[in-house]
Structures are given as C-alpha cells and as structure tokens.
Amino acid sequence: MHKYLIILVSALIMLNISGCKDVEEKENEKTNQTSNKEDQSDELILPMGSDDHSYANIAQVKTNHIHMDMNVDFESKQLKGEVRLDIENIAKTDSLILDVDNLHIQHVTLDDGSKANFKIGKRDPIFGSPMLINIKPNTKSVTIAYETDPNSKALQWLSPEQTAGKQHPYLFTQGQAILTRSWIPSQDAPALRITYSADIHVPSELMAVMSASNPRERSESGDYHFEMKQSIPAYLIALAVGDLEFRAIGERTGVYTEPKMAAASENEFADMEKMLIAAEGMYGKYKWDRYDVIVLPPSFPFGGMENPRLTFATPTILAGDKSLVSLIAHEMAHSWSGNLVTNASWDDFWLNEGFTVYFENRIMEEVYGKDYADMLMLISEQDLRKEIEELDERDTHLKLDLEDRDPDEGLTAIAYDKGAFFLKMLENAAGRERWDEFLKNYFQEHQFETITTEKFVKYLNENLIEPENLNVNIDEWIYGPGLPASHIKIMSEKFAKVDEAAEAMKNGKDLTEIAFDASDWAYQQNLHFIRSIPTDYGPDKMAEIDKAFGYSKSGNSEILAEWLVQSIRRGYDVDKETTDFLTRVGRRKFLTPIYSELIKTEEGKKRALEIYEMARPNYHAVSYITLDGMLGYEPQ
C-alpha cells in the first residue's frame, strides 16, 4: 500500500487533529517500557500527511531549520552523526512525524535535554517509513542521532576506480524527488521550505561541498561548515565529497571538478557569467549569491540537478565545443523557477520544469541567438511528440495525478516540454514585452514560496489573461491530454537545410559530399539528421552514413546516444560503442532508450542483460530502479 502505512499512533493523529493525546493507556505502558526506542510491534493504519508522497504532519508541526553534524565514512559507506530539527509546533500537538527510509536511528533528544520516545512504521519500498516522535507543546527542537544505510537511495559511494582521477573515493547525493529521507530524517515534502546548516567531516585529502556557502580551498583538517540562509525544500539539500578543485569563471560563477577535468570544465562553462547576466536582465536579480557548478563522475543519473548555489552536472555535457551548455542555462533558470518559486506538490511538477525549459530557451536566445534557441525548441518538440505516443493519456496532462505512485514517474517531457510550449503560447498571445513583465512580477511576488497549479491559474487569470482580454484556452493545456493544436509552430532555416540534406541522401547523393557540406552543423542539426534516416535503411546504409559523418566516434553524448539507438534499430553493429557507452555513462536519459531498443529482440535482450550486469554497479539508484523494472532484472 503506497498511501497508507502501519504504525502505532492515535486515531486523532490519523485525522490530523491538533492537540491530540497519546494512544490508549495500555499502549502508553508499552511505550514507556521501550522509551526512546523504535517500536514496530503494534500496528495501525496511518494515512499520508497533507502531501501524497510524505507522511509528515507539516500542517501541525513544521521544520524551520535543519542543522547536520555528520562524519563521512567511506569504509562503511555511511554518514554518521546527528541532525537537529528546529520546529514550530503550530497545533501544540504531542507528535512530530518525519519521513525516513532505512535510517538507523539511535536516539532522539528534545531541546530540554530529555530523551524522546519515537516509533518507526513498516517500510514502503517507494515512500519509506513515517517516524513518529513524541514531543511537548513547547518543544522548539529535536536532535536525532543516526546512521545512514550503505544502500541509501540518495547516496552514491564511488570507489577510486569509478572516478576520473582513480586515486580517491567519491560521494554524492541526489534528493529529488523523495530521496532526501534516505539520508536525512526530515519532513520531505516540497511544500515545506527550510534553511539549513551543516558541519561535515571528511578525510583530509578530500573536499566537501553542498548546496550552500562553499569553500574554495581544501581544509587540512577535513572539517567543513556550511550555511544555506535562503529557504529551500528538503529535496534541494545536497552534498558531494571528493578530490575536488575550484576554478573561477566570473565574479559570481565557478566550477568544481576532479583536477583531471578542471581545465576542460573551465573552458566549457566560460559563458556562465554571461548567462547569469542575461537571466537577471529578463526576470530579476539572482537571489542565491553565487552560481557554481560541480561536474560529477559519470554515474550521476541526470543531466543536471539544480541544487541552489551549486548545480550538480553530468560530465556528458563536456563536449569540448560548448554545444551542450544549454543544460547549464536550464539549471541556472531553476534559480528562479523551481528554487525561488517551487511546486507545492509533485503533481505540480510542470511549474518547476515547464517554466525552466522556457526560461532556458530565452537565456540561450540572448547569449547564442534566436536560430540556436529555435533548434533547441524543435528538438524538444520532437522529444515531446515521441513521449506523448508512449505515455498513458492521463500522464500527458500538465497537472498530474501521482497519488500512490513514485513521483519520479512525473519526470517526463510533459512537465518539461509541454510546459514550455504552454508558456510559449502565452508569450505569443500577450506579446513578449507584456509576458516578460508578467513573469518577472510572478517570480518577485512568489519568491521563496511554494505554489500549486490552481494558485498559478488564478494568478495568471487575474494578472494577465483578464486584464489583456486574451483569447486562450488554458484548460486544454493544463488538464487536457497531448499537445494542443494551439501550440506555437517553430520554424528553423537551419533545420530546413538538414531536411534538404536528408532528402538528397534518399535520392542517392554522395554521402561524403553531404557530410562535407554539413561540417559546420550545430549538434541539433546532426541530431535532426540522424532522426531523419529512413526506417528502411539497413546495416550497409548505416555503415555508409557512419563512415561519412563519424557518428560512432562523436564526442557529443547527445549525438552518440541517438546514433546508437538508430543503429541498434536497424541492425548496424555498434556493440563495442554501445557497451562502452552503457558502462561509462549513468545518465538515465541516455540509458533508457538504448536499453529499450536492445530488448526488442531476444538476442538483443540477452546482450542488454550481459552489459547491465557489468554496468549496474556504476549506476545510481535513480537509474537502476528504472532499468531493473524495464529489463526484468532481479539483483542477487
């Protein structure tokens, strides 16, 4: 049962009534006998809290600040220490309910020095467990001593061999959507914003960085202190520990990487300060002091994660020619959409990502020109249309219904690309100048707040649609399926040239000549060309294209991943390149379509499982949970 969990708790708490009393006296006697110990022996059904994906009772008690004091133990693959939660007991209730997942709790102390009783319910494989702590009406903080589990979903512990330098181990976290509870006992719901601080202790040869104020130099003691003074939801608390070096890009921007990747990263991200200036020029002052990036090892499951002050990024964007830095523009845009104004629930995920894809595109247009931005939107449209064909109709609405489901299922092109096209339509209807004024005010008026789809619709109607008398149908976008006919048609002369080349290829023009003419194509044009290859082309024709264009040897991960999918589909032998890519890269965006293509035949499925056996230890839980189900793989 995803929505309910068995736990010892009073019926009044089940109804979320404030000022609730302890459970019946016979249960109290049992609780007193096991003071400050976890108890799962008696079971009642406890519904989720106000969030479909959190047990936390944030309507009665809310966390305002978290302070962590943690030791990073690479030998045991555990974080060990304690966390203090500063709370506000709004309802003067006697119970604080947190989200936890496989945390080994040792004891809980209240701010008056007394030990607190606590109970942890039966674990749900997706949502983890509720942790119920007995507090007092005047309790201001609780301190929890605990250790993480070596198999925590949020933590990836890498051996030296899995890093670029091959000399030191590495740790990084991934909190979105509901994984923070597997490394911090917390009220893990996006509707709650908190500040945080941390004291992190690591081996002296390593550096620790977080989504907070960060060091530029390594500490000889291995002790690091962090402050995040702006409020954020728990999923944005992030930590990385490794052999790191910092390179400054601009006054407010820089990059952390392993030393081996430092020069390449510095060159690749040379335009970050320009991007930040462009973003501020459109939608207001950057509120997070600094914008830095850390380039993680290849096992990182996403392209990027918008952890405030420190974007976590995949090394697959290091193409050597800045061709994939739209990802940096995307994560930077999250500093407004997602981090500054946050979706109140994962059903409202498009409010984070749709706004961010739109804003990313505007940054890219400002820095690299309209032609470049238009090609990005056309690629997005291709991805969106493909995903609409594959998804259940209910999941093609912007407003999602993820009740009883892993919110990770909402991370599709719908939230990202349909959301962006919806905003593009509104921009077209209102005119760019008026739309920009509206969006700037939206970010300003809702800064450091969370927002629901319904609240946004109300704001949109009152501040743009009604005053401007716009003739737009927003319901078909937000609550309807697919891509509405009112979406903006993007045109690109650069893509038109690709279409001409693809047609010439079909008509038998020499591929070497076509490749020579295409030597100055942007990566989006190459991607579009690969997707334009006729479905009836077999291995021999694919070999000719590969010889002319060299796609199998591309250093651009977007191009190579698409080429591998198309080659596998047509029976062209790219086994060596596929094996290398799948064992080297952990980014789920690339892994899923390649494995999906492999398993379409019996022979391909056998090969996919052989590769997966080798590669799985290098993947983060976000990736291997998806792939385990796809491949029918059962870990031993």
Side-chain angles (χ1 to χ4, degrees):
M1 294 183 294
H2 296 331
K3 186 86 188 288
Y4 299 95
L5 193 67
I6 309 234
I7 189 175
L8 176 64
V9 69
S10 69
L12 293 178
I13 289 181
M14 286 194 297
L15 296 173
N16 285 333
I17 297 177
S18 62
C20 57
K21 299 179 182 291
D22 282 336
V23 292
E24 297 176 2
E25 288 185 10
K26 63 178 182 179
E27 302 295 358
N28 273 329
E29 291 172 6
K30 193 174 297 181
T31 298
N32 292 333
Q33 292 169 5
T34 59
S35 178
N36 199 46
K37 293 183 179 179
E38 179 181 334
D39 185 349
Q40 296 182 193
S41 58
D42 293 88
E43 301 178 328
L44 289 173
I45 294 177
L46 176 69
M48 290 287 188
S50 56
D51 185 292
D52 284 341
H53 304 104
S54 169
Y55 299 105
N57 60 336
I58 60 176
Q60 284 104 30
V61 189
K62 69 174 184 177
T63 306
N64 291 320
H65 182 82
I66 290 177
H67 178 72
M68 292 172 276
D69 192 337
M70 304 299 293
N71 292 292
V72 179
D73 188 337
F74 280 96
E75 186 172 346
S76 66
K77 296 184 178 179
Q78 290 178 289
L79 299 179
K80 302 176 180 180
E82 62 182 32
V83 61
R84 186 191 76 239
L85 306 180
D86 296 340
I87 61 174
E88 181 181 354
N89 193 345
I90 303 165
K92 303 302 179 184
T93 182
D94 53 12
S95 296
L96 166 66
I97 302 175
L98 306 178
D99 297 297
V100 297
D101 190 8
N102 269 351
L103 297 179
H104 307 301
I105 310 295
Q106 295 159 347
H107 57 79
V108 180
T109 308
L110 302 184
D111 53 341
D112 62 5
S114 64
K115 292 292 181 69
N117 297 333
F118 70 92
K119 319 202 185 302
I120 296 178
K122 183 178 176 183
R123 180 178 181 271
D124 180 275
I126 295 175
F127 301 117
S129 311
M131 178 179 180
L132 181 129
I133 302 171
N134 290 127
I135 60 173
K136 301 170 184 178
N138 61 344
T139 297
K140 295 290 190 286
S141 70
V142 299
T143 299
I144 304 165
Y146 72 103
E147 297 176 351
T148 61
D149 191 86
N151 296 311
S152 164
K153 289 181 183 178
L155 306 177
Q156 184 155 26
W157 301 88
L158 301 177
S159 67
E161 293 73 27
Q162 293 172 297
T163 68
K166 312 296 183 187
Q167 299 297 315
H168 300 285
Y170 204 111
L171 165 68
F172 67 83
T173 69
Q174 172 54 40
Q176 193 183 48
I178 55 172
L179 302 184
T180 295
R181 64 194 66 180
S182 71
W183 76 287
I184 306 172
S186 55
Q187 294 183 306
D188 192 11
L192 179 70
R193 301 184 72 104
I194 51 96
T195 56
Y196 83 88
S197 54
D199 291 298
I200 305 294
H201 314 284
V202 306
S204 59
E205 66 272 17
L206 303 179
M207 180 187 285
V209 290
M210 296 192 76
S211 52
S213 56
N214 277 306
R216 308 285 181 84
E217 302 288 343
R218 191 167 300 171
S219 164
E220 292 183 4
S221 67
D223 299 327
Y224 294 89
H225 180 72
F226 301 93
E227 296 277 351
M228 170 46 78
K229 296 182 179 180
Q230 296 95 334
S231 64
I232 59 172
Y235 74 85
L236 291 175
I237 303 175
L239 167 68
V241 179
D243 179 18
L244 299 175
E245 176 182 326
F246 176 78
R247 296 280 184 101
I249 303 295
E251 273 187 34
R252 297 171 294 170
T253 55
V255 60
Y256 293 85
T257 74
E258 293 182 70
K260 190 173 181 179
M261 296 189 292
S265 300
E266 183 181 10
N267 292 333
E268 202 80 9
F269 305 146
D271 293 334
M272 280 205 302
E273 194 79 27
K274 292 179 186 176
M275 290 181 180
L276 190 56
I277 292 169
E280 287 184 316
M282 284 182 274
Y283 298 133
K285 184 174 173 55
Y286 180 73
K287 302 286 186 176
W288 306 93
D289 301 323
R290 287 195 58 83
Y291 181 81
D292 295 321
V293 173
I294 179 171
V295 180
L296 296 173
S299 58
F300 184 57
F302 297 124
M305 181 63 211
E306 63 271 17
N307 302 311
R309 297 183 63 112
L310 187 66
T311 283
F312 281 25
T314 171
T316 62
I317 63 172
L318 299 179
D321 58 2
K322 302 182 185 177
S323 59
L324 298 179
V325 294
S326 62
L327 184 142
I328 299 299
H330 180 93
E331 306 309 331
M332 183 181 288
H334 267 302
S335 303
W336 286 261
S337 49
N339 296 1
L340 193 63
V341 186
T342 307
N343 50 222
S345 79
W346 297 113
D347 288 348
D348 305 303
F349 187 53
W350 77 274
L351 290 173
N352 277 18
E353 296 298 348
F355 278 73
T356 299
V357 172
Y358 171 83
F359 193 3
E360 163 204 343
N361 194 256
R362 291 291 303 276
I363 294 171
M364 294 302 288
E365 179 180 332
E366 185 72 19
V367 177
Y368 298 106
K370 188 173 185 304
D371 284 347
Y372 197 90
D374 285 345
M375 288 192 292
L376 287 170
M377 285 301 288
L378 283 167
I379 292 295
S380 291
E381 183 179 348
Q382 291 173 6
D383 293 339
L384 174 60
R385 290 186 181 280
K386 183 175 183 294
E387 203 142 2
I388 286 172
E389 292 176 2
E390 297 170 350
L391 290 170
D392 289 340
E393 184 176 288
R394 65 171 180 163
D395 290 333
T396 67
H397 302 190
L398 286 179
K399 174 70 175 184
L400 295 170
D401 180 6
L402 295 170
E403 185 176 353
D404 296 338
R405 299 160 65 192
D406 190 331
D408 197 48
E409 293 182 30
L411 273 67
T412 71
I414 301 302
Y416 289 75
D417 300 321
K418 181 179 177 179
F421 272 101
F422 172 46
L423 302 188
K424 197 82 174 170
M425 180 275 293
L426 291 172
E427 177 205 317
N428 185 68
R432 177 167 285 191
E433 184 177 350
R434 179 66 180 91
W435 168 251
D436 280 351
E437 178 189 4
F438 165 81
L439 207 51
K440 186 174 183 178
N441 289 338
Y442 166 75
F443 290 133
Q444 177 65 33
E445 293 176 27
H446 297 90
Q447 62 180 323
F448 301 109
E449 294 180 2
T450 59
I451 190 166
T452 63
T453 296
E454 292 72 25
K455 187 175 178 180
F456 171 73
V457 168
K458 185 174 185 293
Y459 184 84
L460 176 66
N461 279 323
E462 291 177 353
N463 292 276
L464 185 68
I465 292 177
E466 291 171 3
E468 301 299 325
N469 195 28
L470 300 184
N471 183 23
V472 293
N473 183 346
I474 61 174
D475 284 353
E476 68 174 351
W477 282 89
I478 296 175
Y479 306 109
L483 182 62
S486 60
H487 81 276
I488 301 302
K489 278 68 173 180
I490 308 293
M491 306 297 293
S492 169
E493 291 184 8
K494 291 185 179 293
F495 268 29
K497 291 181 179 179
V498 176
D499 293 334
E500 291 173 7
E503 189 62 30
M505 176 178 66
K506 294 174 191 177
N507 294 330
K509 185 176 180 179
D510 182 78
L511 283 166
T512 304
E513 186 179 342
I514 295 175
F516 178 80
D517 293 338
S519 60
D520 62 346
W521 279 359
Y523 97 86
Q524 299 94 330
Q525 289 173 284
N526 281 286
L527 205 60
H528 183 50
F529 183 74
I530 294 170
R531 292 176 176 181
S532 302
I533 297 172
T535 56
D536 60 352
Y537 273 26
D540 292 344
K541 202 68 177 177
M542 294 296 285
E544 292 177 25
I545 297 172
D546 201 9
K547 183 179 178 181
F549 285 84
Y551 288 137
S552 289
K553 296 180 175 60
S554 176
N556 184 300
S557 55
E558 296 278 354
I559 291 173
L560 180 56
E562 186 67 34
W563 175 251
L564 295 178
V565 169
Q566 300 295 341
S567 296
I568 295 165
R569 185 173 297 165
R570 292 165 174 81
Y572 175 51
D573 183 10
V574 286
D575 182 71
K576 181 180 181 300
E577 292 83 358
T578 301
T579 302
D580 174 70
F581 192 76
L582 294 178
T583 53
R584 176 172 53 85
V585 172
R587 188 176 173 185
R588 187 174 61 176
K589 171 187 176 180
F590 297 144
L591 302 181
T592 304
I594 295 173
Y595 278 112
S596 294
E597 201 60 45
L598 281 171
I599 63 176
K600 288 181 179 178
T601 66
E602 285 301 316
E603 183 180 351
K605 185 172 184 179
K606 180 183 177 182
R607 183 60 183 139
L609 287 169
E610 290 172 349
I611 297 171
Y612 192 56
E613 285 277 2
M614 295 186 289
R616 189 179 185 274
N618 296 325
Y619 295 160
H620 187 276
V622 165
S623 293
Y624 70 64
I625 288 172
T626 297
L627 296 169
D628 283 354
M630 176 191 298
L631 299 174
Y633 181 85
E634 296 185 8
Q636 301 302 312

